[in-house]
Amino acid sequence: MRIHVQNPADETVFPITPQQWDAAIARAPDMADLQVSFASDDAGFAAAMADAEAIVTWTKVVHQRFPKGALPGVAPKLRTIFCTSAGLDRLAPFDWLPEQMTLLNNRGTHAAKAGEFGIMALLMLANHVPWFAHDARQGQWAPRFASVLAGRTVCVVGLGSLGGAVAARAKQFGMHVIGVRSSATPHESCDEVVAQSDIDSVLPRAEFLLLACPLTPQTRGMIDARRLALLPRGGKVVNIGRGALWDQDAVCDLLESGHLGGAVTDVAVPEPLAPESRLWRTPGLFVTPHMSSDDPATYNDRSLDIFFENLRAARAGQPMPNRVVPDRGY
Amino acid sequence: MRIHVQNPADETVFPITPQQWDAAIARAPDMADLQVSFASDDAGFAAAMADAEAIVTWTKVVHQRFPKGALPGVAPKLRTIFCTSAGLDRLAPFDWLPEQMTLLNNRGTHAAKAGEFGIMALLMLANHVPWFAHDARQGQWAPRFASVLAGRTVCVVGLGSLGGAVAARAKQFGMHVIGVRSSATPHESCDEVVAQSDIDSVLPRAEFLLLACPLTPQTRGMIDARRLALLPRGGKVVNIGRGALWDQDAVCDLLESGHLGGAVTDVAVPEPLAPESRLWRTPGLFVTPHMSSDDPATYNDRSLDIFFENLRAARAGQPMPNRVVPDRGY
């Protein structure tokens, strides 16, 4: 099978290297017959697309190289597109994807890192760290005391790789975990799970709310001003999903009004945030620059392992576990 | 037995209330015969000292009410002083304490809270949070990526209630934990333990260094510029003990030079820090205002439980477990 790896031309932290590929093959000897090429430029891409059957690449490359109508023309033999991202909202709507082609994401890659970031964010909020960051700008030593997480309630929206890992850490710290996902199917790390359509019923109990779901037409704008107001006074919020999942101006407004007790967000609209954005200046809000879930020490290794698991499933006539369902958006 | 609780006049967060006392007695029915009084003023203190056999109070109250030479005169029947703090460095040297009198601290109270703060600080450092706090002041969106804690080495100095709890959390996250304490006695949450006199031998391996020991003549200034330089380049440091355990100017210097990769400190010299202190302005340094280990929801309950455990030990003719050894300083 003929595979092509197309790295973005400007990528310095996460390019997939031939060494990483060889190491992944060493972990998956049944994949040793794959023929692979690497490129980061136009010429390498064009040459490879003549006979590539699968491409391993970035959402931004897919967005740029496969506009609506380009496929199958630019890559006549291509059947599988593997994106090294979990959230493919940038590629929606999926009308550029021919029906016979399979789009895969790398969900599973981010779990360990996302779980650590998530519990860190909950601990930072419990410990008033976003407020201390603002006090520091004025050189103000202003103690606020804090309680442990045990026994407190967190609502985790999205129970995939990211949210599931955060829920597991939250349980480890003795929290009461309410999960929210598309259906109310139980989850091993949650004390309760409700369907997204029932989220309003649990928000009044959510001392902490953490967003870790994909951005789809069903989740866009889900946490609006009305739902933020349903949180108990002093409620604390985290977003490691996508900025458009919530109304970020409403988050700022409710921090300023005192209804919210703190916020940590790793995502924003737009990214990068402009220097003049109010998100940088709102007391109680801590911004990290979209780095919560990507561990450079393991990212490409895990992505390639997951890619090979999917090829293995296809060879065995099984469904590919990372297949993105275009109508669902993830 | 006649007990007096003296709260500081200005204390709003942590005063011990009669309700908390009654609840603690309900948990310890064998203490129901204790006679207790409460005060926060001079008159109440003076009246109680006539016959009090034990006092439950703050280090700052002890410092103010029992200057050298005052005891036993001001409190002729007093035999036991229980301080609702773990670190009694403020009361050193202990030449004000008559030999026949027992000084107790509340070690054990802080464990759960300190463990959470400690692992939060390690996660914040791993995730570059102190740097993002400074980027936010300029409205600068500047991603830095981060790896998980698993497999990385932390050196925890002090394995009492605070350091032991942090070591346990660090193990839970898969870290390699090196403990440092007065002697090299093994500890259940540490992979290795070395004596304080051997600390230089482990610092070059300490990607993270966390200080959680008491401030004594033996530990004052222990982490000086020379020892900070022994840390590997990019080493990250946390202080939840006392500001005078390290050279805080050297920490700032080595952050500025790039040798250190980040710092979180909950303690400083002096406290409160002045608005013009360089600690507020040094990129990579995050200051919290001495709140790491004090959980107001449980603090007094645990302190009283510990006080009663000590009285129970004394009644049984056993050594009191929280007795402070003046020569040792903790």
Side-chain angles (χ1 to χ4, degrees):
Chain A
M1 190 178 181
R2 179 70 181 82
I3 316 282
H4 180 65
V5 177
Q6 183 76 21
N7 288 308
D10 57 350
E11 183 59 42
T12 56
V13 180
F14 291 100
I16 296 178
T17 65
Q19 292 73 24
Q20 288 170 340
W21 178 273
D22 291 346
I25 292 289
R27 293 189 296 274
D30 58 324
M31 297 290 148
D33 59 327
L34 299 177
Q35 293 173 275
V36 66
S37 57
F38 295 84
S40 60
D41 59 358
D42 290 349
F45 178 78
M49 286 307 101
D51 63 350
E53 295 160 88
I55 184 169
V56 172
T57 192
W58 271 243
T59 52
K60 66 179 171 185
V61 172
V62 173
H63 189 68
Q64 173 199 346
R65 303 274 181 183
F66 301 138
K68 185 174 176 181
L71 287 173
V74 300
K77 297 190 178 173
L78 197 68
R79 293 294 174 273
T80 305
I81 300 172
F82 178 78
C83 284
T84 59
S85 293
L88 302 192
D89 45 285
R90 184 173 185 161
L91 301 179
F94 296 88
D95 52 1
W96 57 271
L97 183 72
E99 225 171 83
Q100 73 279 18
M101 220 169 272
T102 299
L103 177 64
L104 303 172
N105 70 7
N106 73 346
R107 61 176 160 252
T109 299
H110 307 78
K113 181 72 188 70
E116 286 199 0
F117 188 94
I119 198 71
M120 176 191 78
L122 297 177
L123 288 166
M124 284 172 62
L125 289 170
N127 282 280
H128 316 297
V129 166
W131 301 95
F132 295 146
H134 278 264
D135 290 346
R137 299 185 190 191
Q138 278 83 46
Q140 197 182 351
W141 178 279
R144 299 174 183 229
F145 294 94
S147 292
V148 296
L149 294 180
R152 297 163 83 178
T153 296
V154 60
C155 176
V156 178
V157 180
L159 294 175
S161 171
L162 278 66
V166 178
R169 286 286 181 200
K171 282 311 296 173
Q172 201 175 42
F173 281 73
M175 299 189 81
H176 180 84
V177 183
I178 305 175
V180 176
R181 58 174 158 186
S182 49
S183 73
T185 322
H187 184 279
E188 56 180 3
S189 297
C190 295
D191 298 291
E192 314 170 38
V193 178
V194 301
Q196 192 194 323
S197 53
D198 292 328
I199 190 171
D200 289 7
S201 70
V202 295
L203 291 178
R205 287 192 287 138
E207 188 171 354
F208 298 87
L209 172 68
L210 183 142
L211 306 185
C213 58
L215 179 63
T216 68
Q218 287 71 44
T219 62
R220 181 177 293 274
M222 173 181 31
I223 303 299
D224 55 11
R226 183 186 68 78
R227 287 201 166 113
L228 289 167
L230 289 178
L231 293 170
R233 189 171 174 83
K236 297 165 177 71
V237 293
V238 182
N239 193 346
I240 61 171
R242 288 288 184 266
L245 291 172
W246 68 11
D247 179 344
Q248 65 187 18
D249 267 307
V251 171
C252 294
D253 291 342
L254 288 168
L255 283 164
E256 288 169 358
S257 79
H259 182 73
L260 290 179
V264 172
T265 190
D266 187 52
V267 288
V269 179
E271 294 181 13
L273 272 181
E276 59 274 16
S277 167
R278 81 187 273 208
L279 273 66
W280 299 118
R281 308 186 307 269
T282 302
L285 175 57
F286 199 96
V287 177
T288 58
H290 204 135
M291 48 62 71
S292 64
S293 308
D294 304 336
D295 180 345
T298 55
Y299 197 87
N300 289 343
D301 297 341
R302 291 191 193 196
S303 290
L304 290 174
D305 290 349
I306 287 169
F307 176 54
F308 291 163
E309 281 165 27
N310 280 269
L311 294 187
R312 195 174 292 122
R315 285 179 182 181
Q318 305 291 326
M320 292 170 110
N322 285 62
R323 187 170 163 258
V324 172
V325 181
D327 288 347
R328 195 177 63 173
Y330 63 94
Chain B
M1 190 177 181
R2 179 71 181 82
I3 317 283
H4 179 66
V5 177
Q6 183 75 22
N7 289 308
D10 57 351
E11 182 60 43
T12 55
V13 181
F14 291 100
I16 297 178
T17 64
Q19 291 72 27
Q20 288 170 340
W21 179 274
D22 291 346
I25 292 289
R27 291 189 298 273
D30 57 327
M31 297 291 148
D33 59 329
L34 299 178
Q35 294 174 272
V36 66
S37 58
F38 296 84
S40 60
D41 60 358
D42 290 347
F45 178 78
M49 284 307 102
D51 63 350
E53 295 160 89
I55 185 169
V56 173
T57 192
W58 270 245
T59 53
K60 66 179 171 185
V61 172
V62 172
H63 188 68
Q64 174 199 346
R65 304 274 181 183
F66 301 138
K68 187 176 173 181
L71 289 172
V74 302
K77 298 190 178 173
L78 197 67
R79 293 295 173 272
T80 305
I81 300 172
F82 178 78
C83 284
T84 58
S85 293
L88 303 193
D89 47 284
R90 184 173 185 163
L91 302 179
F94 296 89
D95 52 1
W96 57 271
L97 183 72
E99 227 171 81
Q100 72 277 20
M101 222 172 269
T102 299
L103 177 64
L104 303 171
N105 70 8
N106 73 346
R107 60 175 162 253
T109 299
H110 308 78
K113 181 69 189 69
E116 286 198 0
F117 188 95
I119 197 72
M120 177 192 78
L122 297 177
L123 288 166
M124 284 172 62
L125 288 170
N127 282 279
H128 316 296
V129 165
W131 302 95
F132 295 146
H134 278 266
D135 290 346
R137 298 185 193 191
Q138 278 82 47
Q140 198 182 350
W141 178 279
R144 299 174 182 229
F145 293 96
S147 292
V148 295
L149 294 180
R152 298 163 84 178
T153 297
V154 61
C155 176
V156 178
V157 181
L159 295 175
S161 171
L162 278 66
V166 178
R169 285 285 181 203
K171 283 311 297 173
Q172 201 175 42
F173 281 73
M175 299 190 83
H176 181 84
V177 182
I178 305 175
V180 176
R181 59 173 157 186
S182 49
S183 74
T185 321
H187 184 280
E188 57 180 4
S189 298
C190 295
D191 298 291
E192 313 169 41
V193 177
V194 300
Q196 192 194 325
S197 53
D198 292 328
I199 190 171
D200 289 7
S201 69
V202 296
L203 291 177
R205 287 192 284 139
E207 188 172 354
F208 298 87
L209 172 67
L210 183 140
L211 306 185
C213 58
L215 179 64
T216 69
Q218 287 71 45
T219 62
R220 182 177 291 273
M222 173 181 31
I223 303 300
D224 55 11
R226 183 186 67 78
R227 287 202 165 114
L228 289 166
L230 289 178
L231 293 170
R233 189 172 174 81
K236 296 164 178 71
V237 293
V238 183
N239 194 346
I240 60 169
R242 287 288 183 266
L245 292 171
W246 68 13
D247 179 344
Q248 66 187 18
D249 267 306
V251 171
C252 294
D253 291 342
L254 289 167
L255 283 164
E256 287 168 359
S257 78
H259 181 74
L260 289 179
V264 172
T265 191
D266 187 51
V267 287
V269 179
E271 295 180 10
L273 273 181
E276 59 275 14
S277 168
R278 83 187 271 208
L279 273 67
W280 298 119
R281 307 187 309 268
T282 302
L285 175 57
F286 198 96
V287 177
T288 58
H290 203 135
M291 47 61 71
S292 64
S293 307
D294 305 337
D295 181 344
T298 56
Y299 197 87
N300 289 343
D301 297 340
R302 291 192 193 194
S303 290
L304 291 173
D305 290 348
I306 287 169
F307 176 55
F308 292 162
E309 282 166 25
N310 281 269
L311 294 187
R312 194 175 293 123
R315 286 180 181 180
Q318 304 291 325
M320 293 169 108
N322 285 60
R323 186 169 163 258
V324 172
V325 181
D327 288 349
R328 195 177 63 175
Y330 63 95

